[in-house]
């Protein structure tokens, strides 16, 4: 029965994977590199680095020792509890940011393509809002980094103050309201994990 329990333990299979990866690195990869088995191509070094990077997962074994410390165990359990909420929160925010990025990039195309405007201003707008990717990354910074004045005020001054309507709505709804609702959900998940841990103790 004990052997069957061990075989159903995820930690056992994780340790086995680490041992096999170490043996593979020692007896297969290293001899190939030293004997120049692949003709000395750069992919040998890339493969070696990949295998050694996978060996870095051995640090995850430390998570098993966290069971001995109540505070650390509670933190890890709380992080595990809010991961599903984090995934859905990022899906929701990605939808909002993508829609806003497409709208903003489309509205600013006229300013970017107009040769009458200053070249430096057009380049600045292009680097931040010229494409869907640029606009999405800029909105990601605005949403999470809190540096929206540096990315918003130049648009108002160089392009048009009418864009204040767009940014006020986005910052109020997404940056202020939605982010705080998500933070409240994370806090609730953390408190639930703490309560469950206290009941089990």
């Amino acid at each position: 029965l004990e052997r069957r329990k061990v075989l159903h333990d995820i930690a056992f299979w994780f340790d086995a994977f680490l041992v096999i990866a170490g043996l593979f690195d020692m007896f297969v990869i290293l001899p190939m590199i030293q004997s120049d088995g692949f003709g000395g191509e750069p992919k040998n070094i890339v493969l070696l680095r990949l295998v050694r990077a996978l060996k870095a997962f051995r640090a995850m074994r430390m998570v098993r020792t966290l069971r001995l410390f109540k505070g650390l165990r509670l933190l890890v359990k709380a992080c595990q509890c809010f991961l599903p909420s984090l995934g859905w929160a990022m899906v929701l925010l990605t939808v909002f940011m993508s829609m806003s990025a497409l709208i903003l990039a489309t509205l600013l195309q006229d300013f970017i393509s107009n040769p009458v405007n200053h070249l430096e201003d057009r380049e600045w707008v292009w680097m931040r809002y010229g494409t869907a990717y640029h606009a999405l990354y800029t909105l990601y910074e605005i949403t999470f980094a809190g540096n929206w004045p540096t990315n918003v005020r130049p648009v108002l001054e160089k392009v048009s103050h009418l864009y204040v309507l767009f940014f006020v709505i986005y910052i109020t709804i997404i940056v202020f309201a939605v982010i705080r609702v998500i933070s409240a959900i994370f806090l609730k998940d953390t408190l639930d994990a703490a309560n469950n841990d206290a009941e089990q103790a």
Side-chain angles (χ1 to χ4, degrees):
L1 294 177
E2 293 295 330
R3 293 181 179 178
R4 291 181 179 179
K5 290 181 180 179
V6 170
L7 293 177
H8 290 289
D9 189 6
I10 298 177
F12 168 78
W13 291 107
F14 182 70
D15 291 340
F17 169 76
L18 292 177
V19 172
I20 294 172
L23 293 174
F24 183 78
D25 182 30
M26 182 180 297
F27 294 106
V28 179
I29 301 299
L30 284 178
M32 285 184 179
I33 298 298
Q34 293 173 355
S35 64
D36 202 17
F38 285 109
E41 297 179 358
K43 63 181 179 181
N44 294 343
I45 304 299
V46 173
L47 182 61
L48 177 64
R49 289 176 179 171
L50 177 62
V51 173
R52 291 189 173 175
L54 291 176
K55 289 172 65 178
F57 281 105
R58 289 183 297 183
M60 294 181 62
R61 297 176 64 182
M62 296 176 59
V63 176
R64 297 174 59 186
T65 63
L66 298 181
R67 302 173 184 174
L68 304 176
F69 304 98
K70 183 178 180 181
L72 292 175
R73 184 180 68 244
L74 178 60
L75 288 175
V76 173
K77 189 174 181 181
C79 291
Q80 290 175 346
C81 289
F82 74 68
L83 284 178
S85 299
L86 175 63
W88 287 114
M90 290 307 301
V91 170
L92 178 65
L93 288 174
T94 301
V95 171
F96 283 130
M97 288 189 294
S98 299
M99 292 171 54
S100 302
L102 291 174
I103 293 171
L104 197 56
T106 303
L107 292 175
L108 289 170
Q109 287 303 312
D110 291 337
F111 177 84
I112 295 172
S113 60
N114 190 351
V116 177
N117 300 316
H118 294 292
L119 180 61
E120 294 180 358
D121 296 342
R122 293 164 59 196
E123 289 178 348
W124 188 94
V125 175
W126 165 260
M127 289 301 298
R128 286 162 179 81
Y129 303 101
T131 64
Y133 168 75
H134 289 167
L136 180 60
Y137 183 76
T138 301
L139 290 177
Y140 183 88
E141 287 184 339
I142 291 173
T143 305
F144 292 102
N147 62 346
W148 59 267
T150 59
N151 289 313
V152 173
R153 186 170 293 276
V155 175
L156 305 182
E157 295 176 350
K158 298 175 181 180
V159 184
S160 174
H161 283 277
L162 292 176
Y163 285 94
V164 71
L165 300 173
F166 173 88
F167 286 112
V168 164
I169 293 173
Y170 182 85
I171 293 169
T172 302
I173 295 177
I174 307 301
V175 179
F176 180 75
V178 175
I179 292 296
R180 278 160 179 75
V181 170
I182 292 172
S183 301
I185 293 174
F186 287 171
L187 180 59
K188 178 182 177 299
D189 291 341
T190 303
L191 293 176
D192 291 342
N195 292 332
N196 293 335
D197 188 74
E199 291 175 359
Q200 292 176 1

